Amino acid sequence: MANSNVARGLQPVRHRNGAPWAGAATKYYVPASDATALYIGDPVVVVTDASDSKGTPTVTKATAGATNYITGVVIGFITAGDPPVVRSRDAGVHRAASTEAYVLVADDPDLVFEMQEDSVGGVMTVGAAGRNADFVDGSGSAYTGMSGVSLDSSTLGTGNTKQLRIIAPVDRPDNDPTLDYAKWLVSINLHTQRNATGI
């Protein structure tokens, strides 16, 4: 059976040690000057020497491609208004471009995420486990609030400058790793909280 082609960015599922992810996240700031929209599942990176007036660190959408670091993945939003309103993936919302907001980010460097491959470079197949790849941008949905980011199968390799570590295919009846658009378990290889040199 063919895999569904529904990219949703990076979705946290568990920790490396097998413990379930309980929804923990850190609050970060996104100023109105940031003209890039953010969606649930988007990878973000902390901006050096930038914060709100209370010192909350600023993040922006991470750049796809080798050597580009990631701090974590967006799982929800908090409006900058008074009172603030928390919006999660169940609310079907996103952070519109050029809108001040706070984002909830799953930033534990030991998290494991589910992610769909784009299959542009061919099917990655079961041999991809243990290798590395970058992510590729895709259009998020203002209707569902979900990211369109996916695994860039064209970058599959062993280089340690690639952004993501591929752990294994998702073991589910609706996922066939030998076909296009397979879902994979990945971790962040270039994480700002683990590989801090030169950031």
Side-chain angles (χ1 to χ4, degrees):
M1 183 176 73
N3 296 318
S4 60
N5 180 14
V6 185
R8 299 170 66 237
L10 294 97
Q11 299 298 316
V13 291
R14 63 173 174 82
H15 295 270
R16 286 179 186 268
N17 65 5
W21 175 66
T26 303
K27 184 174 79 170
Y28 291 88
Y29 176 65
V30 184
S33 58
D34 190 321
T36 301
L38 286 175
Y39 301 86
I40 302 294
D42 272 347
V44 292
V45 63
V46 70
V47 179
T48 304
D49 298 326
S51 67
D52 70 356
S53 61
K54 296 181 180 178
T56 305
T58 296
V59 291
T60 190
K61 187 174 182 181
T63 302
T67 76
N68 293 310
Y69 280 76
I70 300 170
T71 297
V73 174
V74 175
I75 65 162
F77 304 95
I78 304 173
T79 62
D82 187 19
V85 178
V86 178
R87 298 178 174 180
S88 69
R89 59 178 154 186
D90 299 322
V93 297
H94 69 291
R95 179 253 172 198
S98 305
T99 303
E100 183 183 31
Y102 292 89
V103 292
L104 299 173
V105 178
D107 60 0
D108 186 334
D110 286 321
L111 278 175
V112 173
F113 304 86
E114 179 177 324
M115 191 176 198
Q116 176 179 293
E117 66 171 280
D118 68 348
S119 300
V120 172
V123 178
M124 296 199 320
T125 76
V126 293
R131 299 172 76 184
N132 300 324
D134 298 320
F135 75 84
V136 62
D137 278 326
S139 299
S141 169
Y143 177 72
T144 66
M146 302 305 295
S147 171
V149 166
S150 55
L151 261 175
D152 187 351
S153 63
S154 303
T155 63
L156 182 64
T158 57
N160 62 4
T161 61
K162 296 182 184 297
Q163 295 172 298
L164 302 163
R165 179 77 169 175
I166 300 163
I167 298 171
V170 172
D171 187 10
R172 221 172 34 226
D174 65 347
N175 186 54
D176 185 340
T178 68
L179 300 177
D180 287 344
Y181 312 121
K183 312 307 186 282
W184 294 86
L185 296 176
V186 303
S187 59
I188 297 174
N189 193 38
L190 297 183
H191 202 294
T192 59
Q193 294 188 20
R194 177 160 284 154
N195 300 293
T197 302
I199 295 177

